[in-house]
Amino acid sequence: VSATSDENVSNDQATVGVTVAGGPDLAIAQELTSALRVGEVASYRALVVNVGNRNTRAPINLSDNLPAGLALVSTSGAGWQCSGEPNVSCSYAGLAAGAAATPLVLNVRPSEAALGSRTNTMQVATTGDLDLSNNSANVTSTVTGVVDASLRLVRNGDLVVGSQAAYDLIVSSLGTISVPGPINVAVTLPTGLSVAATTLEGWTCGGGTPYRCSWSSALAAGAQAPVLTLTVAVASNVQSPALVTAQLTATNDANSANNSASDSANVTT
């Protein structure tokens, strides 16, 4: 300041120190780019941005403790270095103010143990981060799977009046998750064919028309139940050709096209 006739100019100036706040501020967002299905690869995509007004002063660290039942298949993203599974740790050299890192992709494959709702949480950190409230991101999704029980019917031997022939019933689990028990099979025999013996191996069967059998346990994905063999007696009143049909039913079966089977064979005397 100055004034006319000021006799003491030594106190006409003053200095005020002002500190301008600033620093890095990491923010993270993530998305699931495809549905989570048992046995199939899906991807979590993370985007990290420095929304602060200063460059980061140290590497960026990202952590992701994958939900139970999700196996890490691979990671991708230029500049990212990742290790560990299921606790995944990734690092990135740093970011200028306002800059975004290369998107980080974590490719995962769910197992049957992951069925149901799963939440994946990613967290980022760096030295001097001004705001920790935007350092984590969650994605909640449902892991699904496909139940697919199939049935085949195989005849062993010719149909000859007065003799016996055998039919094998083969039940398989072709889906990505287990077929829950019970699995039921109903076999319809024509007049003149009757069940003479049954090879059960875990199956429970009962007489009547149709002839019904049940497998009580779950059948794991890719597994085959023990072959169910029906030995039939061929009577003289059977009509030729003799048609035998079988029908499978199972809970939550997504594919009914492979649930029935049949065999038609000529009868000889």
Side-chain angles (χ1 to χ4, degrees):
V1 293
S2 61
T4 304
S5 303
D6 191 338
E7 295 182 355
N8 181 11
V9 297
S10 64
N11 58 0
D12 289 359
Q13 294 181 344
T15 301
V16 177
V18 177
T19 301
V20 179
D25 179 12
L26 297 182
I28 183 173
Q30 70 157 314
E31 63 176 344
L32 181 65
T33 62
S34 57
L36 289 173
R37 299 186 182 93
V38 172
E40 300 180 11
V41 175
S43 301
Y44 289 105
R45 183 176 182 269
L47 180 61
V48 178
V49 181
N50 180 8
V51 297
N53 59 7
R54 294 288 187 273
N55 300 346
T56 57
R57 304 191 300 271
I60 297 168
N61 298 310
L62 181 149
S63 62
D64 187 344
N65 297 334
L66 293 174
L70 298 188
L72 183 67
V73 176
S74 62
T75 64
S76 63
W80 288 98
Q81 300 293 326
C82 297
S83 62
E85 194 269 337
N87 299 328
V88 184
S89 298
C90 301
S91 63
Y92 195 84
L95 284 174
T102 304
L104 171 65
V105 176
L106 303 184
N107 297 309
V108 298
R109 180 182 288 111
S111 68
E112 191 167 346
L115 284 172
S117 179
R118 290 289 181 265
T119 298
N120 187 56
T121 301
M122 292 183 177
Q123 294 183 319
V124 290
T126 193
T127 302
D129 195 324
L130 293 178
D131 181 8
L132 303 183
S133 66
N134 55 2
N135 284 24
S136 65
N138 301 323
V139 170
T140 299
S141 54
T142 300
V143 180
T144 61
V146 175
V147 174
D148 182 10
S150 74
L151 174 66
R152 290 191 296 129
L153 176 64
V154 179
R155 176 174 44 83
N156 298 303
D158 296 330
L159 297 182
V160 180
V161 172
S163 66
Q164 294 182 338
Y167 290 90
D168 288 341
L169 294 151
I170 304 166
V171 175
S172 301
S173 176
L174 304 182
T176 59
I177 61 176
S178 300
V179 180
I183 302 170
N184 299 308
V185 176
V187 181
T188 301
L189 300 172
T191 299
L193 292 187
S194 59
V195 177
T198 307
T199 303
L200 297 175
E201 293 191 48
W203 289 89
T204 301
C205 296
T209 302
Y211 189 80
R212 300 182 184 277
C213 297
S214 180
W215 177 264
S216 62
S217 304
L219 189 61
Q224 177 181 295
V227 175
L228 172 62
T229 300
L230 302 184
T231 301
V232 300
V234 184
S236 59
N237 62 335
V238 65
Q239 297 294 313
S240 183
L243 177 64
V244 175
T245 62
Q247 182 69 42
L248 176 149
T249 56
T251 303
N252 299 328
D253 195 335
N255 180 18
S256 61
N258 56 8
N259 287 10
S260 60
S262 63
D263 178 82
S264 180
N266 291 323
V267 180
T268 60
T269 58

